[in-house]
Amino acid sequence: MATSEYWAEVTHDRQRTHVFYPTLDAMIAPDDPVRFVDEVLSGMDWSKWEAAYERKRGQPPIHPRYIASAILYGLYRGIRSSRKLEEACRYRFDFMWLVEGRVIDHTTFSKFRTRFHDELKDLFRQIARMAMGLGLISLGVVAFDGTRVKANNSRFRTRTAKTLEAKLEALDELFEYLVAQMQTVDGEQATEGSPTKLPEELADVNHRREQIRKALEQAKAADEARRQQGIDPKKNPAQVPITDSDSHVMPNKEGGYAPNYTPVATTDGKAGFIIDADVLPSVNEGAAIPASVDRIEEVFGQKPEKFLTDAGNNAAPIIVEMEQRGVEFYAPIESQQPAEGSPVKRDDPRQPIPESEWDNLERNNAGKLAKTCFVYVPEEDQYYCPMGNVLCFFRTDREQRCGKPVAIRVYQCRNCEGCPLADACLSPQTKHGRTVRRDEYEEVRERTAARMSSASAKAIYKQRQWIAETTFGILKSIMGLRQFLLRGLEKVKTEWLWAVTAFNLIKMSRHIGTLRAETAKCAAQV
């Protein structure tokens, strides 16, 4: 049996006054990431944060740098909960070192993370400008993307307009009953407390009524939007969240539907720094692209040169706005022009395509001749079909796209009767000849499609996936941001801003650590 001398000696006596030997600083390795995090943040300007404090009453507050440092470093370590941050500041050496032994409770963390949105935005910009000054951001190639993050709202806490109306009716009846009951009691008892406030029970019911009314308005608006899209809301009514009414029921990346938000980020291609971020309460993220470019120019004093995004954001109005800003836009887009080698590309579109080539004509999803089989002649403002017949302009339709009205010119052929290609060209519902639609953005789409077809554009666009999607992979998998902790769009935007600021801070800290290691290695070789 081993004697007491066999075991390692106790290094710290529990009764000693000084726990750390020789110092707390000695407990942190020279190359520990927390040192580089502290070094970056200590060099930032905190005057805007300091100005938000009252400085007139109460105990001296903890400087905002220490609280912000703990929140940002906590995100780096995958700690998001205010209570977990409080625990880390009490028991983890790296957090204790970072806040210099200050005890910060979870309530302070909780209030702090929602209080300083504008100041946090300034900190995000300071770190981004520092990265650009170090040559880590070039704005040569940037990539934009969005993702889904669950709202702080159970997927089962959603209701339709019909169920909300029934709930509101029940609450109205309860409110009237409580008011009548209150009026029957003694007047002095009824006005106990503050005469300007409702009794607690009435106030609670009234608050719930207001929540249901707001949700009912959203449900009715969503049903109307579905009706305009051709969906019958009686058969397929919209569901709206109850707990976080700013969120929307959207498809999940993992499958199914739930209340979600759509965070977006624009990432620089040189070192992967996030240069702009926002949160949208809707599925469509493309509309946020022009505003992102404007904010980037505001922060860095210049626009990005090449802007990469996925096929879901290739709406023509967005492309037009990017061209107006002088930014090259890269997104997959289908050309409506005949492909190389197609029999449609002939010297004279008035001449019919030989019958031997009919089987090579492109078909659409309905199995009929695709729009690419029709040649548009700008000088004549008319199309020619594969048989050389003319499709003349005969009306203008209007549609809503990306929230804007779009004019669509419709061209119709009047020589379809007896045409040998009629069966391959016309759908059974067609009564007055084949039509082809051409909107006001056709030319800009063709310019983009022509650019995307080049070998150089394809090589540039291949970078999009690792630039944009790596960002969300780190934010979700490493930093744990798969569901927001806060509720309401404004608070969610602040929570997302904390996350992307921490993301850039991590990158900056690692860069400093790499530079230090390389400098030390070079010095050792001299």
Side-chain angles (χ1 to χ4, degrees):
M1 183 175 180
T3 62
S4 58
E5 291 80 8
Y6 172 77
W7 307 108
E9 293 183 2
V10 174
T11 56
H12 291 87
D13 186 347
R14 292 175 178 171
Q15 305 303 320
R16 285 180 60 180
T17 303
H18 300 287
V19 177
F20 305 111
Y21 177 79
T23 62
L24 175 59
D25 189 67
M27 307 296 290
I28 307 298
D31 59 348
D32 193 292
V34 72
R35 291 187 179 275
F36 304 125
V37 167
D38 182 68
E39 182 176 341
V40 174
L41 293 177
S42 62
M44 298 291 107
D45 179 10
W46 296 90
S47 59
K48 291 185 178 180
W49 301 69
E50 295 168 352
Y53 285 79
E54 191 173 307
R55 299 171 181 255
K56 291 181 180 179
R57 58 183 180 179
Q59 295 293 326
I62 299 173
H63 193 279
R65 176 170 75 87
Y66 295 103
I67 307 175
S69 298
I71 294 174
L72 294 168
Y73 182 68
L75 287 165
Y76 173 31
R77 293 302 187 187
I79 301 175
R80 300 172 58 212
S81 163
S82 297
R83 292 184 182 273
K84 291 291 185 182
L85 285 173
E86 177 185 354
E87 181 181 340
C89 290
R90 289 178 181 272
Y91 302 117
R92 283 186 54 158
F93 288 143
D94 50 351
F95 279 87
M96 294 169 68
W97 181 92
L98 183 63
V99 300
E100 297 186 11
R102 292 170 173 83
V103 178
I104 308 173
D105 62 76
H106 66 273
T107 303
T108 301
F109 279 124
S110 180
K111 292 180 179 179
F112 188 91
R113 72 166 80 239
T114 60
R115 177 183 175 187
F116 295 97
H117 179 85
D118 292 338
E119 293 80 3
L120 179 60
K121 187 183 295 185
D122 179 68
L123 179 63
F124 171 83
R125 292 176 174 182
Q126 286 187 63
I127 295 174
R129 290 189 185 111
M130 176 187 286
M132 191 171 192
L134 293 173
L136 301 175
I137 293 176
S138 66
L139 299 183
V141 176
V142 306
F144 173 91
D145 202 2
T147 188
R148 300 281 183 276
V149 174
K150 293 178 182 178
N152 191 346
N153 189 118
S154 169
R155 63 184 301 176
F156 303 107
R157 288 281 294 165
T158 61
R159 299 290 184 270
T160 63
K162 183 177 180 180
T163 56
L164 287 170
E165 286 174 348
K167 181 71 173 176
L168 182 59
E169 183 178 348
L171 284 172
D172 286 340
E173 291 178 359
L174 177 59
F175 185 82
E176 291 175 3
Y177 169 77
L178 291 174
V179 170
Q181 189 179 50
M182 182 186 70
Q183 291 173 346
T184 62
V185 302
D186 182 76
E188 184 178 347
Q189 292 179 346
T191 57
E192 283 182 356
S194 172
T196 61
K197 294 183 179 179
L198 289 173
E200 185 176 348
E201 189 176 10
L202 269 176
D204 177 63
V205 173
N206 194 49
H207 175 68
R208 287 157 58 193
R209 290 167 72 202
E210 293 304 319
Q211 282 187 312
I212 297 299
R213 281 198 185 98
K214 183 178 179 181
L216 180 57
E217 290 176 2
Q218 292 178 333
K220 289 181 176 179
D223 282 342
E224 180 59 31
R226 287 179 174 233
R227 188 176 290 105
Q228 293 178 1
Q229 294 170 3
I231 302 173
D232 186 357
K234 291 184 179 180
K235 296 181 179 179
N236 190 9
Q239 298 270 349
V240 297
I242 300 300
T243 309
D244 185 355
S245 58
D246 286 349
S247 63
H248 280 68
V249 176
M250 310 177 196
N252 284 325
K253 293 289 186 180
E254 302 82 5
Y257 291 79
N260 286 295
Y261 285 100
T262 304
V264 296
T266 306
T267 307
D268 187 76
K270 186 164 187 180
F273 278 81
I274 298 174
I275 53 178
D276 184 66
D278 198 5
V279 178
L280 310 175
S282 58
V283 177
N284 179 23
E285 61 204 38
I289 288 177
S292 178
V293 172
D294 293 341
R295 288 192 296 267
I296 291 169
E297 183 181 18
E298 179 186 349
V299 174
F300 299 101
Q302 66 183 79
K303 302 184 187 75
E305 296 175 13
K306 297 176 174 60
F307 197 99
L308 283 54
T309 188
D310 59 30
N313 301 321
N314 64 0
I318 297 172
I319 302 175
V320 170
E321 293 204 44
M322 298 299 278
E323 287 189 350
Q324 292 172 348
R325 287 164 172 79
V327 178
E328 287 187 25
F329 186 79
Y330 291 78
I333 189 167
E334 292 185 5
S335 173
Q336 298 298 319
Q337 295 296 320
E340 289 296 329
S342 170
V344 177
K345 298 191 75 171
R346 54 201 191 275
D347 294 334
D348 186 359
R350 298 171 182 80
Q351 297 299 318
I353 295 173
E355 185 176 356
S356 59
E357 297 285 355
W358 289 359
D359 291 340
N360 297 326
L361 295 175
E362 187 176 352
R363 300 303 202 265
N364 56 26
N365 294 334
K368 302 301 180 179
L369 295 182
K371 182 180 177 180
T372 53
C373 297
F374 297 80
V375 179
Y376 180 71
V377 180
E379 299 80 11
E380 302 175 8
D381 187 27
Q382 58 189 20
Y383 281 89
Y384 288 90
C385 79
M387 295 303 296
N389 294 319
V390 175
L391 284 77
C392 298
F393 167 77
F394 84 108
R395 77 164 185 262
T396 300
D397 294 339
R398 294 193 179 276
E399 292 182 0
Q400 287 287 330
R401 297 180 185 175
C402 297
K404 297 181 180 180
V406 177
I408 302 172
R409 293 172 65 83
V410 182
Y411 299 78
Q412 186 179 57
C413 180
R414 303 185 183 278
N415 298 311
C416 292
E417 188 174 352
C419 177
L421 275 174
D423 290 341
C425 185
L426 302 177
S427 68
Q429 294 77 25
T430 303
K431 297 180 179 179
H432 303 292
R434 175 65 186 261
T435 58
V436 173
R437 292 153 57 90
R438 181 182 182 86
D439 65 37
E440 58 190 282
Y441 297 110
E442 196 84 21
E443 292 182 5
V444 71
R445 273 198 298 270
E446 290 303 330
R447 286 198 299 270
T448 304
R451 180 170 62 248
M452 292 298 296
S453 66
S454 67
S456 59
K458 291 178 180 178
I460 291 171
Y461 190 73
K462 279 185 179 180
Q463 304 175 58
R464 188 204 69 83
Q465 187 171 4
W466 71 262
I467 295 174
E469 297 184 9
T470 300
T471 299
F472 293 115
I474 294 172
L475 286 164
K476 286 188 169 184
S477 300
I478 297 178
M479 298 170 66
L481 209 151
R482 295 185 179 276
Q483 180 172 4
F484 287 111
L485 302 176
L486 304 177
R487 296 172 183 168
L489 181 58
E490 293 307 313
K491 289 185 178 180
V492 165
K493 285 188 175 188
T494 303
E495 186 175 353
W496 181 245
L497 188 55
W498 278 109
V500 297
T501 303
F503 179 94
N504 283 353
L505 178 62
I506 294 166
K507 281 192 169 290
M508 180 63 69
S509 302
R510 287 178 175 170
H511 178 71
I512 292 175
T514 302
L515 288 178
R516 294 282 166 78
E518 291 175 353
T519 302
K521 183 178 180 180
C522 293
Q525 293 175 350
V526 175

